[in-house]
Amino acid sequence: DSATRPLVIAFHGYGGDADWPFASAHIERHVASTGLAVATIDGGNFYWHARKSGVDPSSLVVQDLLPLMGRKGLAIDRVGLIGWSMGGHGALLMATRLGPGRVAGVAAASAALWQSPADSAAGAFDDRGDFVRNDVFTAQAQGKLRAIPVRLDCGRDDPFIVANRALAHELPEAATTFDTGGHTEEYWTAHAEAQMVWLSKRFQ
């Protein structure tokens, strides 16, 4: 019965949509074996946070998607989070917002992380203030990822490997897989099973 399955919210990457976690990372292959339910929305290319345009995909997750899943009978008091690239950033950011009481674990693959506003991708943030407000490193420095199980997967040939290693250094308890691979669908598909199994264990 899907209503008894722990719920995982999936955050797609840049250029993706609600189908992306299934069409590109193929997490549907690991739903039955892990006993998890997966829900996702189309978050656009807004890096999963409130923008000055008024768009806020993160609030859609909290205010619309989670209540909808609750009405379907799924437990929404404690959820898992998973994301890729831009969505990895989004999943980590969401974890800092929901907190340890609500988040069983967060798995981020090739998370799009930057250690300074100048390094960030064009259009990822409105301005320097927007970067600081939505910076995973700043949130971590404030202790907002403490007590939340975190898993980071990133290929050694991925442009985000330096920032992912830096976050792992700040989170010594985090599970990390920094192995062969780049910022590719092949990498994400290859690591999806391990990530889903890891998330399933966070609910046990």
Side-chain angles (χ1 to χ4, degrees):
D1 179 10
S2 65
T4 63
R5 290 170 173 258
L7 177 63
V8 172
I9 306 298
F11 296 77
H12 65 72
Y14 189 89
D17 55 24
D19 292 330
W20 192 98
F22 311 101
S24 294
H26 293 289
I27 56 172
E28 79 284 350
R29 297 172 183 171
H30 315 296
V31 167
S33 59
T34 57
L36 297 172
V38 176
T40 184
I41 63 166
D42 187 342
N45 290 330
F46 302 102
Y47 279 80
W48 296 102
H49 67 275
R51 307 302 295 267
K52 64 185 177 187
S53 64
V55 173
D56 184 2
S58 61
S59 74
L60 288 176
V61 172
V62 176
Q63 296 172 15
D64 297 314
L65 182 61
L66 284 171
L68 174 63
M69 293 299 104
R71 289 193 297 272
K72 290 181 178 293
L74 286 153
I76 59 169
D77 55 320
R78 197 157 169 267
V79 299
L81 308 171
I82 187 171
W84 302 264
S85 190
M86 176 186 82
H89 167 269
L92 289 163
L93 198 60
M94 181 60 70
T96 70
R97 304 264 159 92
L98 293 179
R102 194 94 191 263
V103 179
V106 52
S110 316
L113 299 172
W114 298 277
Q115 294 176 272
S116 75
D119 294 336
S120 65
F125 302 92
D126 293 324
D127 49 39
R128 184 183 181 88
D130 188 40
F131 178 94
V132 173
R133 280 191 302 276
N134 297 285
D135 176 35
V136 171
F137 287 94
T138 300
Q140 158 53 20
Q142 296 166 349
K144 292 181 180 176
L145 281 173
R146 199 177 300 138
I148 297 176
V150 173
R151 176 182 171 121
L152 302 172
D153 295 74
C154 193
R156 287 192 292 262
D157 295 325
D158 192 302
F160 292 113
I161 186 63
V162 173
N164 274 260
R165 286 190 190 279
L167 184 61
H169 182 73
E170 301 285 326
L171 294 168
E173 302 294 310
T176 58
T177 305
F178 299 144
D179 54 356
T180 302
H183 204 76
T184 64
E185 289 186 5
E186 181 183 25
Y187 184 87
W188 300 324
T189 300
H191 291 72
E193 181 177 18
Q195 290 176 312
M196 291 285 279
V197 168
W198 181 86
L199 281 169
S200 72
K201 291 179 177 175
R202 306 285 77 79
F203 290 96
Q204 292 171 4

